[in-house]
Amino acid sequence: MRLRLLVSYVGTAYSGWQIQEKPKPPPTIQGALEAALFRLTGQLVRVHGSGRTDSGVHAHGQVAHCDVPDAREGFDWRHSLNAVLPHDIRVLEASPAAADFHARKDALRKTYAYQFWQDRRFLPPQLRPFVWNCGPLDLDLMRKAIPYLLGTHDFAGLRNAGTDVENTERTLLDARLEQLPPCEFYPPHAPMLRLAVTADGFLKQMVRNMAGLLAACGQGKMEPEQIPAQLAALDRRAVPSVTAPPEGLALVRVEYPATDPD
Amino acid sequence: MRLRLLVSYVGTAYSGWQIQEKPKPPPTIQGALEAALFRLTGQLVRVHGSGRTDSGVHAHGQVAHCDVPDAREGFDWRHSLNAVLPHDIRVLEASPAAADFHARKDALRKTYAYQFWQDRRFLPPQLRPFVWNCGPLDLDLMRKAIPYLLGTHDFAGLRNAGTDVENTERTLLDARLEQLPPCEFYPPHAPMLRLAVTADGFLKQMVRNMAGLLAACGQGKMEPEQIPAQLAALDRRAVPSVTAPPEGLALVRVEYPATDPD
């Protein structure tokens, strides 16, 4: 039976989603899920995610699939997995899927969120694992930059090295930047900013490079008008902004084609 | 020079506020602050908190005082302390105080918050260190219980063993229970509840016992009308509800008499 999993995790303690084949494999989300499935089934059940998340990156709604023994029909996979998983990884849903459902190949759209904190002098300790403390940002300048990124582009310039993906064209369907409500417990501070981006797919570290690019605009280090030329260079080295750190990033949602009711 | 510190911490990794004199002392907030001050001054600087917080309890605004070498006048204590403290402890303010300011003896009022999560099947991993996952609660029943606790009472029945405080009378000045906005990233769930209580002082684990008592009312295990008789018994064993776990609790604010401007 094929299972579709909806998974939420705090990525701080993990070396990303994907299992690393090393003599001493570091902790990974996929590894933790496969270890939990081994405890429940006594078998190696391979877990296929919608995509990798980097070391330290979080997810509110990562999607994965795996094939579990049929004999377990009626078994409460969600409850059982949560009972044996570490507490920083939680299964929100575990439902039977079509035999050919594929978490990565079938994904239509993904949405990521990136959080910016604007006070270098104080970062609430509760928020530290979830934000980039990059100092003050000019929201208007950042918002001016967004239209240059929307739509279909070759995003090779916002891809970090280390993948052999051939087609680097992606369509950025939506990008929004909003101020979050203040943390009620702390003295008045500059609001936290959250970027939410939706695309038909993302290249390696593309969201973190986009966040770095927008922050550079918001810090006045770059003009939004420079973005088209930098994208057109198709080279990460042509883009002077930094790759934003992983802790600010979370995979929010993966969307699939609607399935016909049985 | 006497310093007044306003300190925020995530208590998860600490055995509470107070230093424990043991051969292998466990990590504590006070210990971390004194270690940071030792790094900055080369001296043992004793840190006096407004009160202890238990193992695993958090603070948004703990207040403490300490005496630092006069020669450091003009030194940026806040910045310097944050540079050497672990990231789960942050100094919000470090300001010169009157020579006789005493964080514990001068405190007029304290406010604590306690957070209840109502879905046993799913707890967002980000929230786990900060809530008690106690299942569904009836907010109206809990709110009915609050008037029985407000005002001046002998709260010996809500005190856990292990202190030799003689006067167990305290005045509960305010107690509010509110629903927090939903976690935007997750499917519809029962709202999180937050209890905020203000008193002239609290006995050992009094807030956690109060949270347990209110939860028992909200779960229908106890009638709010039973509270006065149980308080009057002046014995923790007479109160059937549990001591709520520490992770839901945070010290929000400590209030002091207004000081005259110099």
Side-chain angles (χ1 to χ4, degrees), chain B residues 145-153 155 171-175 198:
Chain B
I146 284 180
Y148 295 111
L149 296 166
L150 282 171
T152 303
H153 303 277
F155 281 105
T171 300
L172 190 65
L173 300 156
D174 194 32
T198 303

Side-chain angles (χ1 to χ4, degrees), chain B residues 118-149:
Chain B
Q118 298 190 73
D119 182 353
R120 283 196 189 273
R121 284 177 59 87
F122 179 70
L123 168 58
Q126 296 89 332
L127 289 182
R128 183 170 191 270
F130 306 108
V131 301
W132 176 22
N133 193 357
C134 57
L137 297 168
D138 183 317
L139 182 62
D140 291 334
L141 282 175
M142 293 171 82
R143 284 190 168 148
K144 267 190 202 159
I146 284 180
Y148 295 111
L149 296 166

Side-chain angles (χ1 to χ4, degrees), chain A residues 156-161 209 233-244:
Chain A
L158 294 184
R159 169 179 68 160
N160 282 18
N209 284 322
L234 300 182
D235 185 347
R236 176 73 188 89
R237 289 162 295 183
V239 183
S241 56
V242 301
T243 302

Side-chain angles (χ1 to χ4, degrees), chain A residues 178-252:
Chain A
E178 55 166 350
Q179 300 193 347
L180 297 191
C183 300
E184 59 193 308
F185 293 127
Y186 296 105
H189 56 76
M192 184 151 84
L193 302 184
R194 183 190 291 144
L195 172 72
V197 286
T198 302
D200 58 353
F202 290 94
L203 303 170
K204 187 177 162 74
Q205 295 177 352
M206 176 171 154
V207 186
R208 289 166 56 189
N209 284 322
M210 220 175 252
L213 190 72
L214 292 175
C217 293
Q219 290 163 339
K221 294 177 182 166
M222 233 186 87
E223 304 286 330
E225 295 74 16
Q226 295 174 258
I227 292 176
Q230 292 189 340
L231 286 185
L234 300 182
D235 185 347
R236 176 73 188 89
R237 289 162 295 183
V239 183
S241 56
V242 301
T243 302
E247 55 266 28
L249 185 62
L251 173 56
V252 171

